[in-house]
Amino acid sequence: MAFPRFGKGDKKGNGEGEIEYLDLGSMYFEGEANTGNFIKLAEIYRYEDLNKIIQGAYDGNIILIDYSPIANDHESLRRITSELKAVARDINGDVAAIDNNVLILAPNGIKIDRSKIKGGFS
């Protein structure tokens, strides 16, 4: 993301009023936490896909897993959820279903609140 820099002069000093831009994505600020952790999205088609998915959790990322393609395969879902629970125990994380056909796997230090925040009508 870039924003125009306002101030004296122009980018090249060519007198044509060229605007200088700052790339905020490449800037680093003191005290800014740069953990490198992400929220990653994954889609699972079979049990064997799980190895690539759980590696992200071991790396400290939050993983959202869409299991829609195998939602009707109850045996695979049982194996997958069992494996995800074991991974969550292993990394001292958490795993939960958050929506129809979506699971979330959180790494160490992040717990999933299973209660919903609901809006109300005034």
Side-chain angles (χ1 to χ4, degrees):
M1 177 182 278
F3 289 97
R5 174 183 278 179
F6 298 102
K8 298 178 186 171
D10 50 69
K11 185 175 182 181
K12 302 287 183 189
N14 59 10
E16 294 183 24
E18 189 174 321
I19 298 173
E20 181 179 352
Y21 288 94
L22 295 174
D23 183 7
L24 298 181
S26 66
M27 295 180 74
Y28 174 77
F29 300 98
E30 286 186 39
E32 180 180 64
N34 187 8
T35 61
N37 296 357
F38 299 95
I39 298 175
K40 295 195 172 207
L41 306 175
E43 196 169 37
I44 191 162
Y45 294 94
R46 57 194 176 116
Y47 177 79
E48 290 77 17
D49 296 339
L50 202 54
N51 289 332
K52 287 193 330 188
I53 292 171
I54 62 175
Q55 184 58 47
Y58 281 111
D59 293 340
N61 299 308
I62 298 171
I63 313 294
L64 292 172
I65 304 164
D66 178 7
Y67 62 90
S68 298
I70 59 167
N72 294 326
D73 186 355
H74 299 291
E75 183 63 26
S76 289
L77 283 177
R78 185 190 60 75
R79 289 178 62 202
I80 288 167
T81 55
S82 176
E83 183 70 22
L84 289 174
K85 287 177 186 178
V87 169
R89 279 192 302 274
D90 189 33
I91 63 175
N92 196 25
D94 202 1
V95 65
I98 59 169
D99 196 11
N100 292 338
N101 302 335
V102 178
L103 297 168
I104 186 167
L105 177 60
N108 184 18
I110 299 177
K111 298 298 177 196
I112 302 166
D113 185 2
R114 285 150 172 86
S115 61
K116 289 185 178 181
I117 300 172
K118 298 182 180 181
F121 293 101
S122 296

